[in-house]
Amino acid sequence: MEPLSPNTEVRLTVSQCFRTLTTSTNIKDITDALQTLLCYLDETPGSTTPSVQRAEFRRAHYTRTLQLLINNIQADWLHSLTADQRTGLWDSLFLHGPPEQALLVLMEGIGQLRWAVLKEECRKFLQSGRLADLLWLYCQAAPSDSPQLRETLLGRIVALPDLTANRLHPNNRPLFLPQQYYPLLATEMLSALERTCQALRGGTDCSLTFVAQTLGKACVQGHSDLLLAVMAPRLSVCTHSDMVWQRVCWKLLENVPQRWMEAVLTGLVQAVSGPDALGRIIGNLVLRNKKAQFVITHKLLLLQYKYETKVLRTILGYLAADRERRPLLVQVLRCVCQAWANPSAVKHTPLEQQLYVSKALLLSVNLLNNSELQELRSELLQCMLGGMQSHLDSGVVRIRHMGMVVGECLSSRMDINGTKLKFEYENDEETQELLSLMTSVAGDEPEPEPEIHDDELTPYDMSGDQEFSQTSPPRYLRDCLETLISSEDATRVELSLRVAESLVRKNVFAAREISVQLTKVLLHMEDKYSINCFLSYRQATMVALAVTDSIPVTQYLTTEFYSLNYSLRQRLDILEVLALAAQELSKPITERSDPSIGAAASSDLTPHAGDNPAHWRQVVEKRIQSKTKRLSKGATQPPAKATPNRYAPVAGHFFFPLLRNYDKPQVTFDLLGSDHLVLGRLLHTLGLFMHLAVNAPIAAQMGRSLLDFVWALRYHVDQMVRRGVLFAVCSVFLGMPSKNLLVDLSDQLFETRSWLSDVAEGDPDADCRSLAVQSLVLLDKSLKKQLQDSQALSVES
């Protein structure tokens, strides 16, 4: 008889073992069969099983063996095995064979509803380093299996937490959760890369395709932060002085598929410690890979803006660190300059993106050397002038400040004939961060201040001392007016301005006689003596006049708002005075303990609602809360005492004159043209008037007129104007009675609701989106209340 071939002998032996495991109840026969199968996995040098038979078993019978074990996982003989037998025989069959086959079989158990009992085997598989063995297996040489099998294996590795969660929830193991699994996968990939480095040092060729695919697929599925938080620091250390590691990292990134390159690079630039580490890990990838170049030089700088300043420093520092990559830095700077100076971008892009681009511009300019700076001087100058104009024309304070800071920094960096721009702006956290981007990393340390040694004498407390003046303030309002008109004495003018408000409030009848004349003098008055708090005193007095003699003063101010030969500052002053006067008139008189002290009197200028979005947001939120019904709010409070509303009778005098002549451009004033700032302030002021007129008889008429006025401006290019439009719409929904809202505006409500929905979803400005949502909430509440009232009336009738 001819001897059996090795393949046939292995097949017969495996078949006999399968019959034993399936039908036998003798525990000794079971353990012998398991031991026979395990011998085919023995790779020790002293193994008695021929290598040909071991290879055949791995190729043709190992997967079938594991499938048989899983199918018999509920057999009685398995529970009869001792702990040592289970570890040495059962577990070893899963842990010592080809890792890719073992993983696929374990994952296949999910569909067979045996996952609850297989979770222990999967845990041991992961914790014993089998993933590293699997990855290293595909690094050693080009695999002989099919692309479909590799794709399936890749999907199982990357999606293991999702697959286990579907079966084990809520009894999932911590190891199978993404927070633990992906850092473990990162560690296993690093182990495979370490083996690759050792093999390359020994002269063995390796392939990193499968590891790169694993990295890319995991990153594109949203796990780059967990993976690269482990890998990036380790790769940074390993590549610091080891050229083999650098070559391995460069090859790893080159082999990432194009469709996953963006996810890998986006996660990497956030995880690395700085530009040097990024350069060691990816090398000159941006010069060899077009997708990588697009992501690094364009998408992360101009299209996305959610990253911290550290990411910008890393990207731009990486481009500037190598001579071959510096042309890309110049290219990036040109693109960033165009984006920053584009008037359309200033109007239509979110403020956060404009801040992000401003940071990129300053960092790029700071990285230029002298020769590059000379080459780009004309382009930078054009960018500075055009961009500053676009930013300073904006109605948003933060955008104007942004333009001022960037203009200062660019002029300082270019040093044009020793001339440097200097603006006055609020030195807040945002402007400080922009200014800090132009400072060098290793700046000079400030010199220590000299120590001041006090003498032994105790100083007197002079904090309460007042400056003595021989000139006494005026006691009569007409004397005050005369001084403000004709006096050239700076002290007398200052004293008159200081007491003007209190004189107006104490002498009501005298104030009404000269109210319009004094208002005219104050409106045209300039601070030619540099008086402290000049604007505050001037504004407080004009507010007091508008409160004391409302109709004549408001008629004068609203008429002058559209007159010729007024500066934009004066027109804004008119709106601020009217807004503050309306607010004071709408408050109960009992809120002020001293009638001689007005609500507008303060040491600082009262900011307009348009400069502070939180101001009108609080107003709207307060009104929403007041319209919301609650079953219980704790301890009840006594009802407020009824007081007359002084604003309601004169609300029309504040409101309607400002709706005239808005579409007639003047020589120095074009409200619907270039003067967006004034238009935005006007809309906020009208919205405030509407809000304060709640429950007034004229509120319905005001609401209809205001909605007609703002409707033509709802798609305005300036975000400040759009905010004003939405604030006005909010005020209409708050101020108009629900009945009038449904009856008088029924034809417009559907179109208004559709427009508000579009704004809430697609407006680039976050404040506009928020206001649109609040307007929709208010509209729904008003309509619901009206329908409930109508139903209640019908039931009663």
Side-chain angles (χ1 to χ4, degrees):
M1 178 181 293
E2 296 181 359
L4 297 175
S5 64
N7 293 352
T8 304
E9 185 177 350
V10 172
R11 185 174 68 254
L12 293 176
T13 304
V14 169
S15 300
Q16 180 61 40
C17 292
F18 283 6
R19 283 194 297 271
T20 302
L21 295 174
T22 305
T23 60
S24 177
T25 58
N26 189 309
I27 193 63
K28 186 178 185 305
D29 294 341
I30 296 294
T31 56
D32 290 343
L34 293 175
Q35 184 62 50
T36 301
L37 294 173
L38 187 60
C39 289
Y40 288 114
L41 301 177
D42 188 6
E43 295 291 342
T44 59
S47 176
T48 58
T49 305
S51 60
V52 176
Q53 294 184 3
R54 296 200 302 268
E56 175 63 18
F57 177 79
R58 289 171 175 270
R59 184 189 66 82
H61 304 289
Y62 180 66
T63 296
R64 293 174 53 236
T65 300
L66 297 186
Q67 290 173 341
L68 176 71
L69 295 180
I70 292 177
N71 291 333
N72 289 274
I73 201 167
Q74 301 292 348
D76 295 336
W77 57 263
L78 179 60
H79 303 286
S80 301
L81 296 176
T82 65
D84 292 340
Q85 288 175 332
R86 177 151 186 161
T87 301
L89 296 176
W90 176 275
D91 292 347
S92 296
L93 284 169
F94 284 93
L95 300 179
H96 293 162
E100 74 284 4
Q101 297 184 44
L103 180 64
L104 289 175
V105 172
L106 287 173
M107 294 294 102
E108 186 182 359
I110 296 178
Q112 299 176 356
L113 302 179
R114 298 184 177 90
W115 189 242
V117 292
L118 285 177
K119 60 184 178 182
E120 187 64 22
E121 300 303 327
C122 188
R123 181 189 65 80
K124 294 177 181 178
F125 181 89
L126 296 178
Q127 292 183 334
S128 61
R130 296 300 284 162
L131 276 180
D133 296 337
L134 190 158
L135 295 171
W136 168 238
L137 177 67
Y138 280 86
C139 289
Q140 296 180 62
S144 58
D145 52 8
S146 64
Q148 292 79 10
L149 178 61
R150 289 197 299 275
E151 188 65 29
T152 301
L153 184 61
L154 187 64
R156 298 294 186 271
I157 293 175
V158 173
L160 188 144
D162 296 332
L163 298 174
T164 57
N166 290 337
R167 290 299 179 184
L168 294 181
H169 184 75
N171 301 315
N172 206 351
R173 288 292 185 100
L175 182 61
F176 304 149
L177 298 178
Q179 291 76 11
Q180 291 194 22
Y181 174 74
Y182 290 106
L184 172 66
L185 178 59
T187 304
E188 303 293 74
M189 283 194 285
L190 288 172
S191 177
L193 295 178
E194 175 65 37
R195 296 184 190 181
T196 301
C197 292
Q198 294 176 357
L200 292 176
R201 292 188 183 97
T204 304
D205 293 336
C206 295
S207 171
L208 293 173
T209 302
F210 189 78
V211 179
Q213 291 174 346
T214 304
L215 174 64
K217 193 174 184 68
C219 288
V220 83
Q221 291 186 2
H223 309 295
S224 59
D225 52 344
L226 297 173
L227 277 171
L228 295 172
V230 176
M231 295 186 69
R234 178 62 180 163
L235 294 178
S236 178
V237 172
C238 293
T239 56
H240 194 272
S241 58
D242 192 330
M243 288 301 301
V244 177
W245 262 105
Q246 290 186 17
R247 287 178 53 204
V248 168
C249 290
W250 299 349
K251 198 66 177 177
L252 174 69
L253 270 298
E254 289 177 4
N255 285 331
V256 172
Q258 293 294 301
R259 63 186 183 277
W260 299 332
M261 180 66 74
E262 178 182 344
V264 175
L265 290 178
T266 301
L268 191 59
V269 296
Q270 297 178 79
V272 295
S273 57
D276 293 338
L278 182 64
R280 293 195 303 270
I281 294 175
I282 71 174
N284 286 334
L285 181 68
V286 291
L287 301 177
R288 297 188 294 269
N289 189 297
K290 291 297 182 182
K291 183 61 177 290
Q293 183 179 123
F294 172 76
V295 172
I296 291 292
T297 64
H298 189 78
K299 191 161 190 178
L300 294 179
L301 298 177
L302 297 174
L303 301 183
Q304 298 178 349
Y305 54 94
K306 61 182 179 180
Y307 307 109
E308 299 178 355
T309 308
K310 171 181 173 290
V311 174
L312 287 174
R313 290 184 182 274
T314 299
I315 294 174
L316 297 172
Y318 160 74
L319 297 177
D322 186 83
R323 180 175 55 84
E324 297 181 2
R325 297 194 295 264
R326 287 197 71 89
L328 291 179
L329 175 66
V330 176
Q331 173 185 327
V332 164
L333 179 57
R334 287 193 170 103
C335 295
V336 172
C337 282
Q338 293 176 3
W340 187 80
N342 188 347
S344 178
V346 175
K347 294 177 181 178
H348 297 290
T349 56
L351 193 148
E352 293 77 11
Q353 184 173 7
Q354 296 183 44
L355 178 61
Y356 188 80
V357 172
S358 299
K359 293 177 182 179
L361 175 59
L362 294 181
L363 286 171
S364 302
V365 171
N366 198 35
L367 290 169
L368 295 178
N369 55 38
N370 292 332
S371 61
E372 293 167 337
L373 191 61
Q374 292 296 329
E375 176 187 351
L376 297 171
R377 180 180 293 271
S378 61
E379 296 178 46
L380 289 175
L381 181 59
Q382 183 179 1
C383 165
M384 181 183 72
L385 297 178
M388 283 177 54
Q389 181 67 37
S390 301
H391 284 75
L392 295 178
D393 285 344
S394 173
V396 183
V397 176
R398 289 177 61 190
I399 294 179
R400 295 202 299 273
H401 288 175
M402 209 180 299
M404 296 175 188
V405 175
V406 174
E408 285 185 1
C409 294
L410 291 181
S411 67
S412 175
R413 184 72 174 90
M414 291 187 292
D415 192 20
I416 305 173
N417 299 325
T419 304
K420 298 180 181 179
L421 296 176
K422 186 62 181 176
F423 296 94
E424 292 184 4
Y425 48 81
E426 183 180 356
N427 194 18
D428 55 13
E429 182 179 351
E430 189 171 286
T431 57
Q432 288 179 354
E433 182 183 11
L434 288 173
L435 291 171
S436 67
L437 300 179
M438 294 299 291
T439 59
S440 59
V441 179
D444 297 331
E445 296 183 359
E447 296 181 0
E449 297 182 359
E451 297 183 3
I452 301 177
H453 301 280
D454 295 331
D455 53 27
E456 297 179 358
L457 299 177
T458 303
Y460 286 103
D461 182 11
M462 303 180 66
S463 60
D465 290 4
Q466 297 180 355
E467 184 179 354
F468 178 75
S469 174
Q470 295 182 352
T471 306
S472 59
R475 297 182 179 182
Y476 302 101
L477 198 54
R478 285 193 178 275
D479 294 339
C480 180
L481 175 61
E482 187 69 25
T483 301
L484 294 177
I485 293 176
S486 59
S487 178
E488 297 294 334
D489 187 346
T491 303
R492 290 177 58 82
V493 172
E494 181 175 0
L495 290 175
S496 299
L497 196 60
R498 284 177 179 271
V499 300
E501 182 200 3
S502 61
L503 291 177
V504 169
R505 295 185 183 278
K506 290 178 181 178
N507 304 279
V508 175
F509 293 103
R512 288 176 177 172
E513 292 178 358
I514 60 171
S515 59
V516 175
Q517 186 180 3
L518 182 55
T519 301
K520 181 178 181 180
V521 171
L522 292 171
L523 181 61
H524 292 82
M525 189 175 181
E526 297 180 355
D527 187 16
K528 58 182 179 180
Y529 300 115
S530 299
I531 300 173
N532 290 332
C533 302
F534 169 81
L535 295 178
S536 297
Y537 293 136
R538 172 174 167 266
Q539 182 188 81
T541 307
M542 294 173 69
V543 171
L545 289 166
V547 170
T548 303
D549 198 14
S550 300
I551 295 178
V553 174
T554 54
Q555 286 178 347
Y556 170 75
L557 291 176
T558 53
T559 302
E560 296 303 299
F561 179 76
Y562 288 109
S563 298
L564 293 172
N565 301 324
Y566 278 96
S567 66
L568 296 183
R569 179 66 262 177
Q570 288 174 307
R571 300 182 199 277
L572 294 176
D573 290 341
I574 292 174
L575 294 177
E576 291 176 2
V577 168
L578 291 173
L580 291 171
Q583 287 178 299
E584 184 176 344
L585 287 171
S586 67
K587 294 178 181 179
I589 301 177
T590 54
E591 286 191 4
R592 298 198 307 273
S593 58
D594 186 355
S596 65
I597 301 175
S602 62
S603 59
D604 298 318
L605 269 179
T606 303
H608 192 271
D611 285 340
N612 186 8
H615 179 273
W616 45 257
R617 184 177 290 112
Q618 292 169 1
V619 170
V620 174
E621 288 291 346
K622 184 177 180 180
R623 291 291 296 133
I624 292 177
Q625 295 299 326
S626 67
K627 284 177 172 281
T628 303
K629 294 182 180 180
R630 290 178 173 82
L631 297 178
S632 175
K633 288 188 66 176
T636 60
Q637 298 179 352
K641 183 180 179 180
T643 57
N645 186 338
R646 296 176 295 159
Y647 172 70
V650 297
H653 296 279
F654 281 82
F655 182 82
F656 289 107
L658 290 177
L659 293 180
R660 297 196 305 258
N661 302 324
Y662 66 87
D663 57 345
K664 296 180 180 179
Q666 306 292 342
V667 176
T668 59
F669 184 44
D670 186 5
L671 194 61
L672 297 184
S674 59
D675 295 323
H676 300 164
L677 176 60
V678 183
L679 179 58
R681 291 283 185 88
L682 174 62
L683 290 169
H684 281 96
T685 305
L686 292 172
L688 181 63
F689 293 161
M690 181 68 223
H691 164 69
L692 297 176
V694 62
N695 298 325
I698 203 172
Q701 183 181 354
M702 292 173 61
R704 291 193 301 270
S705 301
L706 182 56
L707 200 60
D708 290 338
F709 172 59
V710 303
W711 191 247
L713 303 171
R714 65 190 186 279
Y715 295 118
H716 201 280
V717 296
D718 191 272
Q719 56 189 346
M720 183 70 180
V721 176
R722 297 199 305 276
R723 289 181 192 174
V725 170
L726 290 164
F727 176 62
V729 171
C730 273
S731 301
V732 171
F733 293 160
L734 283 169
M736 285 188 67
S738 301
K739 179 180 179 180
N740 295 93
L741 190 65
L742 189 60
V743 174
D744 298 343
L745 304 178
S746 58
D747 296 337
Q748 304 177 21
L749 288 183
F750 177 77
E751 191 173 359
T752 302
R753 182 180 179 82
S754 177
W755 162 66
L756 289 173
S757 300
D758 294 339
V759 174
E761 294 177 359
D763 197 285
D765 183 64
D767 287 325
C768 290
R769 296 195 298 270
S770 176
L771 274 174
V773 172
Q774 292 180 3
S775 299
L776 288 171
V777 172
L778 291 172
L779 179 59
D780 290 343
K781 286 186 176 181
S782 297
L783 296 180
K784 183 178 180 181
K785 180 178 182 300
Q786 179 59 26
L787 292 175
Q788 290 175 346
D789 293 344
S790 301
Q791 292 175 357
L793 289 174
S794 62
V795 170
E796 292 178 0
S797 62

